[in-house]
Amino acid sequence: MRSLSKLQRVAIFFLITGILGPLAPLTIASLAFRWGWPDLLPSIWWWEKRDTLQVPLAWDYIFDPVSRVVPAMQNTILIALCVTLLALIISLPAAKVLATQNFKGKSLFELFLAAPLIVPEMAVSLGMLLVFLQFGLQGNLVAIIIAHLVPVIPYMVRVLTVIYGELDKGMLDQAALLGASRYQIFRYVEFPLILPGILAAALFSILISTNIFLLTFYVGQGQVDTLATLLFSKIRGGGALDPVSAGLTLVIILPGLLFLAFTHRTLKEEVFSGGLNKS
Amino acid sequence: MSKGTQSMNLLKKLISACLLNTAVLFPAYAADKDIDIFRSDFVSGKLSWSEVEKRAREEGTVNWFHWGGSEQLNSWIERVVVPKMADKGITLKTTRIAGTRDAVDLVLTELAAGRELGHGSVDAIWLNGDNFYTLSKQEALFGSFADKVPNSKYFEFDQDNPRAQLNLSDFGTPTQAREMPWSGEQYICYLDSKRLSRANAPKDFVELEIWLEKNPGRFTYVKPPHYIGNTFVQTALYSFNPSGQGYKEFQRPITSFTADEFTKLVQPGFEYLKRIEPHLLGGDTPFYPQNQSVNQSLYNNGEVDFACEFGLYLVHNNIKTGTFSETTETLAFPSSGMIKNKNFLAIPKNAPHPAAALVFTNVMSSLELQISKLKDIGYPLGADIWKLSGAEALAAKAAEPALHGVTADELGRLAVSDTNASLVKVIEKIWVDYIEKKSSLPFGEIVAKQIVSN
Amino acid sequence: MRQPHAKNGNLKSLLGLIPATVVMLVFFVGALLLCIVQSLGYAPQYGINQFPTFQYYQAFLHDDGLWNSLGLTFYYAVVPTLIGAALSLFLSVAFAKAFKGRGFALFVYKIPLAVPYLVGVSIVILLFANGGLFARFFYAIGVISSPGDFPRFLQNAEGWGIMMVYLWKQVPFMTMMLYSNLLVLGREEEESALLLGASSLQIFFYVTLPRLMPALVGSTLIIFAFNFGSFEVPFILGAGYPNTLTVEAWRLFDDADYARRPEAMAIVTFVTFVSSLSILAYLVLYRRFERKRGRV
């Protein structure tokens, strides 16, 4: 393998700086009390004012129960886990069929499953709100979990189809020949073989679910806080970033970072190849 | 009947059949008899307050929906209001919404789904203007209660007293005591005395034009249809009202105007706004901030020398949290009249805990909480100062945060009413057409178009 | 791979498709159908029952602001997709090489994938607002004398702030898609081209790019579709007016007057239609291009 050209080195440097660089000013902004133009650093820091005011500022507010950051984080995680579990249950059989069977209209069906990837989020969100209004289900966790299934399932089915496609069918046949029941085959042969794929798909699904804002916002009707909706209500004005918004941004980045650090090895790039080739 | 309409009707039937009506899925909630009796007894004054409080304790909970964008307010509610309600044996559950609209939506959706009296999920909403108008138009309010809770003594509800106007009318919609005045606001401007001395600052719209010619680009205003922008435009229209009556004509609903009359009323003001546009921030490509948050950052960065929005104690509050520089002051602009209004607590018709909601509004309008709110987070009194006893009024005065450069008397003298909600809609659309989209139509036609489309 | 064909009698083997199909039919197709039905005037909950009527389509199709908004929607969607695709191609080829700190780079570039778009919005506000850190830096070194001299990136129709957020989130996404394909495709063809004396530019354009084409088309398609229908980024960082069609739809849906909601539905239906049409056109063009090159 050849080494990087100069231009490639510069490009990768910019990519890394562009991603990690903003963490420093975000941290500073979250610790500022007053950071006016044209100061490069805050003129008054948060801890200097901390004791003189009755109202909690910056990190004090974020850590105070009043900010409801903790319940929002719990909601975010709970939703992601439920969505992932449900999506797995729904997607696994579909992926198995798509990987092993040929049938009339298969490509049409695949297109149908891929459609949520290309239909505007706004249309899905508003339409979904109407669906839930019909059922009287809007504004709660269940509705949000169901809503998140729609963008998650297409990815999941694709990733799992690839995994099933690579599955060694011979091993399953052998097990059947040896007299294993269908359950035994699944439990002792099929499941361990596809487990790495399932893990990768699950992690990907968690990533998607925690990233969703608009669907949660509409279907939740402002009554269910997630980290994304909390941040939206803080920065929707688009004015200067105040310390609480900066802190909240960091609070949202952190779990993502930890998550990546722990799953880096499982979330292999190879899993995502192929999945897209078919479109 | 032609074949076309026949098949059309069939299609309609099919669609109605497909769209599951919620009434089919869920049994229609019968209006709760017990709550109905409670409501009519309370509204007609048959119930004593202690009976209401007793029932409220039995209900045990109250669900309040409020705009949750202010950390100070959220903390104050948790620190002060929640314990006060707990004293009454009621758990206060708050839902922080990004826009009041969400709560109104919820109430109307529930009502449409047949969740009538007692079967909703919202007990109280903090609102004013449009949102109250919507609930009132849809008949989704609990009833006249505000003048019947004990603490109504701090509020002027006397129809004959002109000072009662702010409590009796919410953007032109008669309140009929269906919402409790809870807080007030006034449109003010703020400047940084280090950059612009008070003496050099414009005092009215005529001076603003001269000032802008000398200091091009040093001012801008929030763009309609944001309500902060609408209010600025309304203030300008008041000032250039050809009748010289200022805000008076703007209290009437749109239906009482012909297109011609309305054109005559607003044309001078809009022409003024058009005239100053090249001197605003950005010059040839004028920049109007979308909302007060962007406007504040323009001010903080020194891109403009002064800016306007609602907030009697805004300067005090924002210096306190470090958002504004210590040298920021309030500016009484324009001297032709600064819009003042109140905001309210409303109880929806299908509130699940109506007695607790009544107790809640009573607690919120108590003098103790009114003063605490004023002192701790700088939200103006909803109570009317002339209804307070001497000692109470002194306590309220003592709690007032600093106004930074203006006096309460001055602001009180300049206070004028907000515009009728039905006019606001037309005015914002005219602004978008005439200023933002630079419509080439003659002004009269723009107005006529918007009045008709309304 | 040889796959058995399901016979008519063997429909049982397709049962596995049912759960996914049901969820998608009810909550996805159902959602879109309700949008369409409401946009055609069936919204009894707001006292509107004129089905079928095209008045809500006419209302915004006749508005002179429509073409402006549609233009902006396309502009915010296409420009970052193109720039992002170019950057991602370049980066993915670089990632396939051996270099010091490669493991670290391969970890870091995934971070934007793990956070919501709103994080990007926060960062762009902090750095690129007229009073933001870059403006302050240029002020400190004397390049500009006031925040007004700094180019306006946010809250105007040019929309550079919007596109920066898209790029920040999407370059990593596209890089990941392309790089994963490179990994699977292997490097044999490139290496034989190298042995035959091709320059690295030649290898890229004649060997690597054609092989990456399907993945590139797939990922740009997803990105374009996402940008076309996205809401929160143009809502916060765009001009209040004019803005994208989705923000316009939001404004109508949020209007105090419920009677305007069918118009919002008409707009999102229109957005969906235009977006699908664009994607279809893109795919047709791509097919034709591939056929010309003698593949497929």
Side-chain angles (χ1 to χ4, degrees), chain B residues 268-285:
Chain B
F270 272 110
E271 279 172 353
Y272 169 83
L273 293 174
K274 190 85 161 182
R275 216 161 53 230
I276 61 168
E277 191 181 59
H279 307 300
L280 296 176
L281 177 68
D284 296 333
T285 50

Side-chain angles (χ1 to χ4, degrees), chain C residues 167-187:
Chain C
L167 286 175
W168 189 79
K169 269 286 281 184
Q170 293 164 358
V171 166
F173 175 79
M174 284 197 260
T175 306
M176 177 157 165
M177 291 299 169
L178 296 174
Y179 170 60
S180 63
N181 267 269
L182 275 182
L183 283 182
V184 172
L185 291 171
R187 291 190 49 83

Side-chain angles (χ1 to χ4, degrees), chain A residues 121-132:
Chain A
E121 205 185 353
M122 189 76 176
V124 182
S125 305
L126 286 183
M128 196 102 74
L129 173 62
L130 297 181
V131 173
F132 284 116

Side-chain angles (χ1 to χ4, degrees), chain B residues 111-165:
Chain B
L111 282 173
R115 293 172 64 171
E116 281 289 333
L117 240 42
H119 292 286
S121 54
V122 185
D123 286 312
I125 312 175
W126 178 22
L127 48 53
N128 75 352
D130 261 358
N131 290 305
F132 177 70
Y133 171 76
T134 307
L135 284 179
S136 144
K137 201 171 82 177
Q138 307 279 335
E139 295 179 354
L141 291 156
F142 182 74
S144 302
F145 70 90
D147 51 354
K148 293 172 191 81
V149 299
N151 285 330
S152 64
K153 63 180 179 209
Y154 301 124
F155 300 82
E156 187 70 76
F157 282 111
D158 181 3
Q159 301 274 357
D160 300 327
N161 189 332
R163 291 195 292 186
Q165 192 57 26

